[in-house]
Amino acid sequence: MGKKLKFAPEKKPGHMSRRTLLGGILAAAVLPVDGLFALEKDPINIPEVINDDPTKTPGPGPSLLGKRSGFENPVRKPSDISSRTPLQDLHSTLTPSDLHFERHHAGIPAIDPHKYELLIHGLVDQPMKFTLEELKRFPSVTRTCFIECAGNFRTGKAEMTPQDILGLTSQSEWTGVLLATIFNEVGIKAEAKWFLAEGADAAVMTRTIPLAKAWDDAMIVYAQNGEAIRPEQGYPIRLLLPGFEGNMNIKWLRRIELSEEPYMTREETSKYTYPVQDKIRMFSFEMDARSIITYPSYPQQITKGYVEIRGLAWSGRGKVTQVEVSTDAGKTWEIAKLQEPVLSKAHTYFRYLWNWNGSPTAILSRVTDETGYLQPTLKQLIEARGPNISGYHMNPVTAWQIREDGFVFFKPEN
């Protein structure tokens, strides 16, 4: 399968426009939410005609496309460079495709699938190009996993929803071909240790990835939740690197080049690095374990009595093994129930039944993954990394304040 090439083009990771450069600077900083999101939820589109007794009047017949009830209106929350998933509106670990978060570096390209080609070259036995149909002829694989932006954390005020705080993570069922299958087709030279992945967007987004990830679980995917990938998620093809930071999962994938060394592109030198004490950490690929309570959360109100605390936990290093919930501001912790199946590098739903006595308190969650890593507090992160902490790979325990009247507010930390 694929077209054999006699030569490979020069390495051209691409350049960034000034507008994109400035956008990238703002992308992942830990910022207050004031002014970040200009658009709020649209008014609920309630049907114009509601029958008091729907059994007396036939409703609409079959249609070309299904749609949500007019009484349901979950929406992403967009800014200039991203669009956040409404985590508080989801009822399972899967994110509907139209609610999957977006992160753009130069907008969404329109790519004709009939003209699409993926070039693989560099330290390979035979450079080749693959069309979309040729990629689909290889044995396919389906797996469920999350994708998360490396800058997925916001704080700053009490009036924040889970969407505001951690809305740059989503989970889908992805279908495609293992990258190892394609690499076996072209043949990888022994000296190859890294590969460059390049997108076809106007930013020509590029990252270099350790070759070991390709032999492990990397995929080239063309389907999401049973349908073709949405344009904003990389149509017709994207790279999927389970557990790795989101920007490495290159969308609109058009080129892969094998090499001995990393290419030191913009997104892995001046961006997506962060200080640790007096040094700068580079190539921090895996997303650390984290969790968030999605109910109850702002702006909800609870009443005295039993409340089921619900939320999401995940780790880029494997499976979630335990989630603990505190209902007394972190003084004591209880083990929550995990919803099966618990998948590797995937969102896991947790639940804890709590009998609220009506007193003001704070509720928190923390997760432990299969490596033994325990989600840290913000204080612990600062102690480990130093006072000049950046916005990348921030995974602190988050808390919700429960007031005497039952209203719930985020508890921000400085």
Side-chain angles (χ1 to χ4, degrees), residues 22 175 200 379 391:
L22 293 175
T175 298
K379 180 181 178 182

Side-chain angles (χ1 to χ4, degrees), residues 185-202:
E185 184 77 4
V186 299
I188 306 300
K189 293 185 180 296
E191 58 267 34
K193 297 295 185 292
W194 296 76
F195 66 93
L196 175 84
E198 178 183 273
D201 58 336

Side-chain angles (χ1 to χ4, degrees), residues 5-37:
L5 303 177
K6 295 182 179 180
F7 60 90
E10 294 180 42
K11 306 182 198 100
K12 293 183 180 179
H15 65 277
M16 308 291 277
S17 69
R18 181 175 181 274
R19 179 179 179 183
T20 303
L21 178 65
L22 293 175
I25 292 172
L26 297 174
V30 180
L31 299 172
V33 295
D34 288 320
L36 272 178
F37 306 113

